[in-house]
Amino acid sequence: MSQTRILSVNAGALPLVAELRARAQELKVAVSTGAAGETLIDAGASVTGSLEAGRLVTEICLGGYGTVAIHPSERLPRWPFALTVRTSNPVIACMGSQYAGWQLTSAEDEESYFAMGSGPARALAGKEGLFKDIAYADQSETATLVLEAASPPPEALVRRIAHDCDIAPEQLTIVFTPTQSLAGSVQIVGRVVEVALHKAHELHFDMSAIVEGIGTAPLAPPHPDFLTAMGRTNDAVIYGGRVLLAVTGPAEAARALAEKLPSSTSADYGKPFKEIFSRYDGDFYKIDGTLFSPAEVQVVALETGETFSAGKVDAELIDASFG
């Protein structure tokens, strides 16, 4: 049996969910039971939340197969704290769990609720073609879903999510936190390795060759305005993110990946994300998809020991974004 069939991201997330619940008062999150019997964890909508809650939510997004640390950094003098993500199972943790690829819309009114689902539950539902590409599926009697949202899904949608995961609603945990919150800011910046994996996938790189990933990005200060908060969290990665991937296979493939990975390869590179978003009249899908990647990358070719580097951190654009 292959490794991808052994690791369960939903099982891996369970201890982290339990910790978030146990420390709810300390971390300023709210735990409740929804109308369908699901567990709801509000990490920043009607409560303050916290950076530590965001750190745990990010590790939940990774299905328990990655570690997240918030620490001092001297890379950007005006912004002295950063977030670092490490994973020895980058494809499963980032693409099989963390990636926000499950489109969730309420059944009653297509405009009433919309969110992109991330986290371990995706690997049970298997709604995305991505899972065939990475040859991964999970089996679990419990599921955890993470939403970058200001409210939980309505009951009918919760029941559909549980049905798609083939579990009872009572076995489903939904963690939600808006972009503007402390925890939301952390969990979005915490996708710094995931965006590199996603771009590698879009570049048709052999995903099975990526065996280790580590990335760091400045901790974006939250902002009460959604567009400003979204801009800051994206800019933290696009202009401040640094990622190292260790890969097997030919060194030339590693070199080619490094050259194509940085965000600076995008035609939309060079302005704070909020400005880019406004330029396209708020249509996220008109933005060049290659922009969503780290500023600076290193790809280590394990076959030869060579390291290929490309891109660079742009302190001026981070300053312009963070204010």
Side-chain angles (χ1 to χ4, degrees), residues 9-81:
V9 289
N10 283 281
L14 274 181
L16 297 163
V17 173
E19 181 178 356
L20 191 59
R21 294 184 63 172
R23 299 173 64 191
Q25 184 174 4
E26 170 200 350
L27 302 183
K28 305 171 189 174
V29 304
V31 182
S32 62
T33 301
E38 77 280 12
T39 297
L40 298 172
I41 302 180
D42 177 354
S46 64
V47 293
T48 305
S50 59
L51 296 176
E52 174 65 1
R55 190 191 68 80
L56 282 171
V57 170
T58 309
E59 290 192 347
I60 289 169
C61 281
L62 290 160
Y65 292 107
T67 60
V68 180
I70 297 173
H71 54 85
S73 172
E74 298 180 356
R75 182 74 179 190
L76 297 167
R78 285 192 60 196
W79 314 104
F81 296 96

